[in-house]
Amino acid sequence: MTQHSALPEDGTTHLPIAPKAALRDLYRVARRLHFTDPYAPARLTRIADQAEYFLHAWPADEWPQALHSGQILPSRAVLLAWVAAAKREASIATVPWSYACWQRVTTILLAALAPFT
């Protein structure tokens, strides 16, 4: 049986999927999430966790300087701050989850993920 968590012999780590594709998929999942869905705050928190992982794991030398339309891409630090803000807001959400709270968290998270769509 192969161990998938073992590092390659050269010591490098390789992401299983391209970070841009993963972030695009997270964007799509977050867009489909509705505030009345079961566990919506936890699901948004998990999406933010995954986005944070892929933003951190993206190799610095492969970080794009501009979007496909030529717009300047926000820095990784800015995107990570937005993701952290969304994660913080989702984690302190009260039950029942209000539409206003869901809208605030979703807007912040989608703003961080939108450049990769």
Side-chain angles (χ1 to χ4, degrees):
M1 190 163 145
T2 306
Q3 280 189 330
H4 296 288
S5 62
L7 290 175
E9 289 182 24
D10 63 358
T12 61
T13 58
H14 300 284
L15 297 175
I17 30 182
K20 183 176 180 180
L23 292 167
R24 182 179 53 242
D25 291 344
L26 290 174
Y27 176 86
R28 290 176 181 160
V29 171
R31 288 245 336 158
R32 285 189 231 124
L33 192 61
H34 192 264
F35 82 100
T36 59
D37 287 350
Y39 308 106
R43 292 175 72 191
L44 280 177
T45 301
R46 179 68 179 141
I47 291 168
D49 279 339
Q50 292 172 330
E52 186 176 49
Y53 167 78
F54 283 109
L55 288 170
H56 275 297
W58 195 317
D61 59 337
E62 294 178 19
W63 185 257
Q65 296 302 312
L67 302 172
H68 55 278
S69 61
Q71 281 183 303
I72 296 174
L73 180 67
S75 71
R76 184 187 322 230
V78 169
L79 296 176
L80 285 168
W82 290 347
V83 168
K87 193 163 56 169
R88 183 177 54 253
E89 291 285 328
S91 69
I92 62 171
T94 60
V95 177
W97 179 255
S98 71
Y99 178 79
C101 185
W102 170 81
Q103 184 67 36
R104 184 174 57 249
V105 172
T106 304
T107 300
I108 296 168
L109 186 57
L110 292 177
L113 298 173
F116 304 101
T117 61

